[in-house]
Amino acid sequence: MTARNSEPPLLDVKGLTVEIDGRRGPAVVVDGIDLHVGRGETLGIVGESGCGKSLTMLSLMRLLPNKIRVSKGTARFDGRDLQTMPTRELRKVRGGDIGFVFQDPMTSLNPVMRIGDQLCEPLIYHRKMAKTDARKRAVELLRLVGIPGPEERLDAYPHELSGGMRQRVMIAIGLACEPKLLIADEPTTALDVTIQAQIVDLVKDLRNKLGMSVVWITHDLALIAGLADRVVVLYAGTVVEDAPVDELYANPSHPYTRGLLASIPTLSDAPAARLSSIGGTPPEPGRRPAGCPFAPRCPLAMDICRRDVPKLEPISSGGSHRAACFAVNKALKAA
Ligand SMILES: Nc1ncnc2c1ncn2[C@@H]1O[C@H](COP(=O)(O)OP(=O)(O)O)[C@@H](O)[C@H]1O
Ligand SMILES: [Mg+2]
């Protein structure tokens, strides 16, 4: 499902810039990114570890750790500015209209609190439910995310569940208040492949049932192929390419996206070709090169790439597919 053009997006992020205080002063880690998510739409955010995915998400909810702050940009949710909204208002949105699933359930579930109480908390706080109703709803939620014997699980502590079951509990908490938007930050990274696939199917199913929007953050382009409507590719805190998902797979343009796709093994690949991937590592915060941040690793880098920062520009006629790359633009002009 894609957003109808007349409707403003549910989430609209413009020029979001995040800085970290370092020994040599502030270093930019998220560099003016633009994102939007329509109602009912699923946006995939993809990039290697360290490219700023989690900080982007945390900054939306004003949950950034110490010494890290938003220095520029706006983030509007349902027409309201998340950055300037009074904290009291923001608390109502967090866990209410915006549900979260964090990367690591062992650090985000409370280890000394029973599963049932952790599920009931948002229902009591956001939806003003009575304790008994909240417990009934908690059982429904556990059933919804495929946890067997939900009544008995209410009294369990997180360490009594397997990794896959804990992740399901996290998703149940994220969904507790039937959010308009679910933001999931690498929710399956710690899990084995079959459970990953089950969780992706589960979120797809719930999204269709509840009509919510989803932002799914991952380093794994293959994982979101069947889930996302659109994909944003992040590199070193900048958007290097965005496109509808089918278009991105059919016609990946930025050399970084192509590199990410080349790292995905396919059945037809010869064994030797399977592990082709991008050499080198992304720049550390504070050590971003001049020009395009990907230039030092890019097989197509030209002089201009080491000097100027490429802008995100449409590369398809409808404008829904964009890339920030001098080489791509040069090739388009030549064609
Ligand atoms: N609490 C922190 N203190 C200092 N640097 C941090 C902190 N959290 C993240 N970073 C740095 O910011 C960059 C982006 O981090 P993050 O958003 O967590 O990346 P991702 O989620 O894409 O793996 C990384 O280089 C990381 O080392
Ligand atoms: Mg992360």
Side-chain angles (χ1 to χ4, degrees):
M1 217 192 295
T2 43
R4 271 160 284 160
N5 286 340
S6 54
E7 248 180 41
L10 182 65
L11 178 70
D12 195 6
V13 176
K14 292 214 169 88
L16 184 77
T17 305
V18 177
E19 290 180 352
I20 297 190
D21 284 335
R23 257 173 282 145
R24 283 163 293 144
V28 169
V29 271
V30 174
D31 193 6
I33 66 172
D34 294 342
L35 302 170
H36 59 94
V37 185
R39 285 167 209 273
E41 190 179 38
T42 299
L43 177 73
I45 300 184
V46 183
E48 278 163 297
S49 174
C51 71
K53 303 183 296 295
S54 295
L55 291 184
T56 298
M57 166 183 118
L58 292 171
S59 66
L60 295 181
M61 284 291 88
R62 298 183 6 211
L63 292 173
L64 287 172
N66 230 348
K67 299 195 171 169
I68 306 184
R69 75 190 100 70
V70 172
S71 58
K72 266 188 265 171
T74 56
R76 298 183 80 79
F77 172 73
D78 220 0
R80 297 196 295 162
D81 189 336
L82 294 169
Q83 300 299 315
T84 57
M85 177 184 286
T87 313
R88 192 168 24 89
E89 290 293 307
L90 186 72
R91 283 211 193 97
K92 288 187 201 152
V93 175
R94 248 190 232 150
D97 283 345
I98 303 184
F100 282 101
V101 185
F102 290 100
Q103 203 156 347
D104 175 7
M106 263 332 240
T107 54
S108 35
L109 286 175
N110 184 338
V112 295
M113 203 171 157
R114 294 176 199 275
I115 298 295
D117 292 334
Q118 299 194 51
L119 269 162
C120 287
E121 204 171 49
L123 296 167
I124 294 168
Y125 176 76
H126 290 289
R127 296 293 178 251
K128 312 285 176 248
M129 279 190 184
K131 184 96 200 273
T132 44
D133 294 336
R135 279 185 79 84
K136 275 188 212 140
R137 175 80 181 129
V139 170
E140 277 172 32
L141 284 162
L142 290 179
R143 192 169 289 126
L144 190 72
V145 298
I147 291 191
E151 288 88 355
E152 296 88 79
R153 297 302 166 112
L154 283 186
D155 291 325
Y157 288 97
H159 69 87
E160 297 175 79
L161 303 183
S162 69
M165 287 298 150
R166 280 198 293 267
Q167 200 65 46
R168 283 166 195 256
V169 171
M170 286 292 299
I171 293 173
I173 294 173
L175 293 171
C177 297
E178 303 198 349
K180 292 179 182 162
L181 172 67
L182 180 74
I183 303 183
D185 186 4
E186 311 222 33
T188 63
T189 302
L191 307 176
D192 72 50
V193 180
T194 25
I195 297 171
Q196 278 191 21
Q198 283 173 19
I199 294 202
V200 169
D201 283 344
L202 168 72
V203 170
K204 245 199 289 198
D205 193 40
L206 294 172
R207 172 194 64 188
N208 298 344
K209 265 189 210 143
L210 305 174
M212 66 186 174
S213 307
V214 178
V215 173
W216 188 285
I217 297 174
T218 180
H219 64 274
D220 183 353
L221 246 178
L223 188 78
I224 50 164
L227 179 72
D229 298 303
R230 270 188 313 114
V231 177
V232 164
V233 182
L234 275 191
Y235 184 78
T238 60
V239 176
V240 296
E241 185 161 3
D242 64 2
V245 68
D246 296 343
E247 166 69 14
L248 191 88
Y249 280 87
N251 188 20
S253 295
H254 196 285
Y256 178 61
T257 314
R258 288 203 231 159
L260 285 179
L261 281 170
S263 327
I264 297 172
T266 62
L267 285 176
S268 60
D269 277 342
R274 262 186 213 174
L275 292 174
S276 66
S277 70
I278 315 161
T281 51
E284 302 268 320
R287 293 182 184 275
R288 294 156 63 86
C292 171
F294 188 60
R297 299 170 75 187
C298 182
L300 305 179
M302 308 174 287
D303 285 345
I304 188 176
C305 307
R306 298 186 192 92
R307 199 176 58 228
D308 296 342
V309 180
K311 286 200 188 69
L312 199 57
E313 289 184 278
I315 58 169
S316 65
S317 51
S320 62
H321 186 178
R322 302 185 301 168
C325 177
F326 291 118
V328 168
N329 270 319
K330 190 177 164 201
L332 276 177
K333 281 186 193 127

